[in-house]
Amino acid sequence: MKKVFKRPESLTDKPMHYCPGCTHGIVHRLVAEALDELNIRQDTIGVAPVGCAVFAYDYFNCDMQEAAHGRAPAVATGIKRVHPDKVVFTYQGDGDLASIGAAEIVHAANRGEKITAIFINNAIYGMTGGQMAPTTLLDQVTATSPYGRKAETEGYPIRISEMLSTLEGAAYIERVSVHDIKHINHAKKAIRKAFEYQLQGRGFTMVEVLSTCPTNWGLTPLESLKWLKDNMIPYYPLGVKREVE
Amino acid sequence: MKGNEAIAEAAIQAGCRYFFGYPITPQNEIPAYMAKRLPQVGGTFIQAESEISAINMVYGAAGAGARVMTSSSSPGISLKQEGISYIAGAELPCLIVNIVRGGPGLGGIQPAQSDYFQAVKGGGHGDYRLVVLAPSTIQEVVDLVQEGFDIADRYRNPVMILGDGMLGQMMEPVEFGKRKPAELPPKEWATAGWKGDRPRAVINSLFIDPQALEDHVKKIYKKYKAIRINETRAECFNCEDAEIIVAAYGTTARIVRSVIEIASKEGIKVGLIRPITLWPFPAETIRSWAEKDHVKAVLTVEMSMGQMAEDVTLAVGGRKPSLFYGRTGGMVPAPLEILAEIKKIREGALK
């Protein structure tokens, strides 16, 4: 019988620990498929974050480093400067990248580090149990914004892609979503393009992926996909934010 | 050559090609020298956005298999502690230079030795040790930089050079290449792209299963035992018939040498034990001298409120009185101050 669907070479066979309905698994697969299609798995070094994807080093089937919370872009900088001929990517959540690691991502982008950041924005801290993230929407209820996020006291959700797109060192930044098949297919194209830009040595690249967290949003997987579409996309508009020809 | 520049050049001579740092006084000559020199030898210098980023760049580069270093001064080293703990946990080799200034807080910019606890007792979280080397001349700075990189690579552990503003700023003639580089195995554990010809490289300090973490830490501590046995170093000067033995390291040990000279003219026999490795600490050397009948007391002199003094007292173990004299905040003790202290102790001990 002909095999029509299989695990990408760039993923290990280790069972993932993610909650049911979480979109991390989808994004892992998209990254892995992109590495396979570009035939760069053996030349890729990944950097795992602190957060739900902390075990990413067990799932991506390439050399990996585990970074401290938020520091993945600095770790990736060190790796890339030692191995400029390799592909280096970070995989980071919104607490990791947009809060504690805000300085690291801004300056890696500004230096034009030839790395790719895969940025998972699900508007909440997952691993620690659903606390408010810098990307948490206004009025969204979390463990640490139990009355809903208020602009007056907690500030506004940060649009990281738009912010980084003002930096000259960034070569390609796009925000995508994985709430339906059409958007998943497009997300894959964006991730692949980011790696291609890195291979061409154009500069810093990032793909922000709007994602779900059914467990901490308190919704079913299906409701979560709808919540993302109805609430996140209006505030976090999809599309290319920066592209240097 | 100036101490700070000697550190930088010695690192280049030792094969270090990557430097990540952030400006802070009194170590600024090190990154400035590296920024100029590294591109000439095909290396990379980055002025990071913070000390935190700098140490994490070191983590990445060390994990990628490079010989790499960073330098800073006390408040900056405090910021690096997170990264240092991760580097120790992930068993990565690197050299960290701390040109110590007075503290706590923003403190001052004058020479001090008040980071002994932070360096030796582990300023970061968890069960780990740094190998801490304390040079007292610029020539020794040069030798210990080569040796520090070699120790780091041999044991896959971070090594710190603990200097102070005085050592960083003073000038002395130096000779490079006196200490021969060690022969070391290739870094097959490094992330350099995986062709399947070795196990997949994963640089990591996370062990979620407590048994696995205990096993990992115990494995690291086996290494520390070997470091204690093989790498503990101290210089003993004039101890043979000394009545009072002074324990001092780095800049303070230089001052104590002048004290010994002045004291001998007055017929007072003073010896010096100078730890070269602050961790592993030469406790055995101190204990064996403290046992001798001719030694009446041990005096620790530091530019701090008495940090190494605690380890000296432990080593002396009640065999003789263990006393302390220090200046802090950037104040440097003068030879006559120390001599006056020795005289006081001597009068008490001989009574």
Side-chain angles (χ1 to χ4, degrees):
Chain A
M1 204 195 299
K2 196 183 162 205
K3 210 181 226 183
V4 292
F5 188 79
K6 63 179 175 74
R7 176 170 50 80
E9 281 271 302
S10 296
L11 284 181
T12 67
D13 57 3
K14 182 139 182 148
M16 289 183 185
H17 70 284
Y18 297 114
C19 301
C22 165
T23 46
H24 266 305
I26 295 172
V27 184
H28 279 32
R29 186 178 174 97
L30 298 183
V31 171
E33 285 179 355
L35 295 178
D36 278 11
E37 286 170 20
L38 294 168
N39 195 26
I40 52 174
R41 180 180 69 88
Q42 298 189 336
D43 293 310
T44 295
I45 302 159
V47 184
V50 170
C52 285
V54 68
F55 296 119
Y57 57 79
D58 277 340
Y59 307 142
F60 288 112
N61 196 24
C62 58
D63 278 355
M64 294 288 294
Q65 293 199 21
E66 168 60 40
H69 199 24
R71 318 299 178 216
V75 171
T77 296
I79 299 169
K80 185 73 180 192
R81 295 301 182 108
V82 174
H83 297 299
D85 56 330
K86 303 293 178 203
V87 175
V88 179
F89 76 92
T90 70
Y91 188 103
Q92 303 176 260
D94 42 32
D96 191 89
L97 182 143
S99 185
I100 196 166
E104 282 78 5
I105 196 70
V106 166
H107 290 277
N110 194 46
R111 283 192 305 271
E113 292 297 340
K114 294 168 188 68
I115 61 173
T116 299
I118 307 296
F119 170 36
I120 306 299
N121 177 0
N122 59 8
I124 206 157
Y125 282 73
M127 181 64 100
T128 45
Q131 293 83 2
M132 186 182 70
T135 47
T136 293
L137 296 177
L138 289 179
D139 297 324
Q140 189 182 337
V141 172
T142 72
T144 50
S145 58
Y147 307 108
R149 181 178 190 165
K150 297 281 171 280
E152 202 179 300
T153 43
E154 282 95 44
Y156 293 87
I158 298 181
R159 295 185 183 98
I160 287 287
S161 287
E162 284 80 352
M163 194 174 103
L164 295 183
S165 70
T166 65
L167 301 172
E168 295 296 328
Y172 169 62
I173 292 175
E174 179 164 0
R175 182 183 292 120
V176 298
S177 175
V178 287
H179 67 280
D180 62 23
I181 303 294
K182 180 178 153 229
H183 285 87
I184 289 172
N185 286 337
H186 181 76
K188 159 85 169 293
K189 281 191 190 123
I191 290 169
R192 191 182 150 134
K193 186 166 163 185
F195 282 127
E196 283 169 344
Y197 268 49
Q198 182 181 162
L199 285 165
Q200 292 156 11
R202 293 203 199 185
F204 174 82
T205 53
M206 186 181 84
V207 179
E208 174 177 346
V209 186
L210 299 185
S211 302
T212 66
C213 182
T215 299
N216 289 302
W217 288 358
L219 300 173
T220 67
L222 266 179
E223 288 166 348
S224 296
L225 296 171
K226 187 171 170 357
W227 193 89
L228 186 164
K229 181 169 167 258
D230 294 345
N231 296 281
M232 290 185 74
I233 293 178
Y235 189 85
Y236 295 115
L238 305 180
V240 174
K241 306 297 167 184
R242 184 177 173 88
E243 188 170 11
V244 176
E245 287 310 318
Chain B
M1 202 171 197
K2 206 173 186 176
N4 281 338
E5 290 175 349
I7 288 171
E9 182 58 33
I12 296 209
Q13 303 270 341
C16 171
R17 291 293 176 271
Y18 299 90
F19 182 98
F20 307 103
Y22 185 84
I24 185 169
T25 306
Q27 59 82 55
N28 289 317
E29 293 84 358
I30 303 175
Y33 191 93
M34 285 305 212
K36 203 170 164 185
R37 268 295 264 136
L38 275 169
Q40 297 170 352
V41 293
T44 293
F45 167 88
I46 296 182
Q47 179 170 316
E49 57 272 24
S50 69
E51 282 94 348
I52 297 170
S53 290
I55 194 71
N56 282 284
M57 290 173 189
V58 169
Y59 177 104
R67 190 161 261 201
V68 54
M69 75 178 283
T70 185
S71 68
S72 191
S73 179
S74 310
I77 295 290
S78 296
L79 281 168
K80 288 185 197 289
Q81 291 300 342
E82 174 198 60
I84 293 173
S85 169
Y86 278 70
I87 286 169
E91 295 188 87
L92 296 177
C94 69
L95 191 72
I96 302 150
V97 176
N98 183 2
I99 301 298
V100 182
R101 57 190 250 183
L106 203 45
I109 57 168
Q110 299 301 322
Q113 295 181 314
S114 41
D115 287 1
Y116 178 91
F117 283 156
Q118 193 199 38
V120 167
K121 308 294 179 190
H125 59 281
D127 281 320
Y128 77 93
R129 290 290 194 177
L130 279 181
V131 177
V132 183
L133 307 175
S136 81
T137 65
I138 311 300
Q139 182 62 54
E140 197 176 28
V141 161
V142 167
D143 297 343
L144 288 182
V145 165
Q146 171 72 54
E147 205 160 347
F149 275 118
D150 289 347
I151 290 172
D153 277 345
R154 188 176 307 122
Y155 299 98
R156 287 185 60 184
N157 201 71
V159 172
M160 177 175 279
I161 300 258
L162 197 68
D164 60 63
M166 187 88 93
L167 209 56
Q169 298 300 325
M170 71 167 63
M171 286 178 90
E172 280 179 341
V174 291
E175 195 183 320
F176 287 97
K178 277 180 77 174
R179 201 71 57 108
K180 292 291 161 238
E183 279 189 29
L184 296 159
K187 298 178 177 177
E188 279 164 359
W189 45 265
T191 58
W194 182 47
K195 310 278 180 218
D197 50 349
R198 55 160 169 80
R200 192 165 66 87
V202 176
I203 303 299
N204 178 36
S205 64
L206 175 63
F207 298 84
I208 208 80
D209 167 17
Q211 187 57 63
L213 180 55
E214 188 185 51
D215 292 347
H216 173 67
V217 171
K218 281 186 169 170
K219 190 188 96 188
I220 291 179
Y221 269 70
K222 257 189 203 157
K223 222 163 59 173
Y224 293 159
K225 199 176 165 191
I227 295 174
R228 267 181 214 278
I229 294 166
N230 301 330
E231 313 297 345
T232 306
R233 266 153 249 196
E235 182 196 18
C236 302
F237 176 72
N238 217 36
C239 289
E240 289 71 20
D241 55 354
E243 304 160 46
I244 309 282
I245 283 193
V246 177
Y249 70 94
T251 290
T252 311
R254 297 173 69 108
I255 301 167
V256 172
R257 278 186 174 257
S258 317
V259 174
I260 291 173
E261 212 171 297
I262 306 166
S264 76
K265 284 179 191 151
E266 298 187 24
I268 306 169
K269 291 168 183 166
V270 179
L272 167 68
I273 298 176
R274 179 175 73 86
I276 297 168
T277 52
L278 298 179
W279 194 88
F281 190 69
E284 187 56 28
T285 307
I286 292 171
R287 186 191 61 76
S288 67
W289 283 109
E291 273 173 1
K292 308 272 188 206
D293 286 339
H294 60 81
V295 176
K296 304 299 175 208
V298 178
L299 171 68
T300 304
V301 181
E302 289 175 80
M303 292 191 289
S304 77
M305 291 304 283
Q307 299 193 7
M308 183 176 78
E310 292 189 2
D311 286 336
V312 173
T313 299
L314 267 176
V316 171
R319 290 172 182 86
K320 297 289 158 59
S322 175
L323 303 133
F324 169 72
Y325 180 73
R327 298 295 301 272
T328 198
M331 295 302 291
V332 179
L336 290 180
E337 280 175 53
I338 300 170
L339 184 62
E341 199 64 22
I342 289 169
K343 285 179 178 169
K344 260 199 291 184
I345 294 165
R346 190 166 170 262
E347 279 156 23
L350 295 181
K351 234 181 260 169

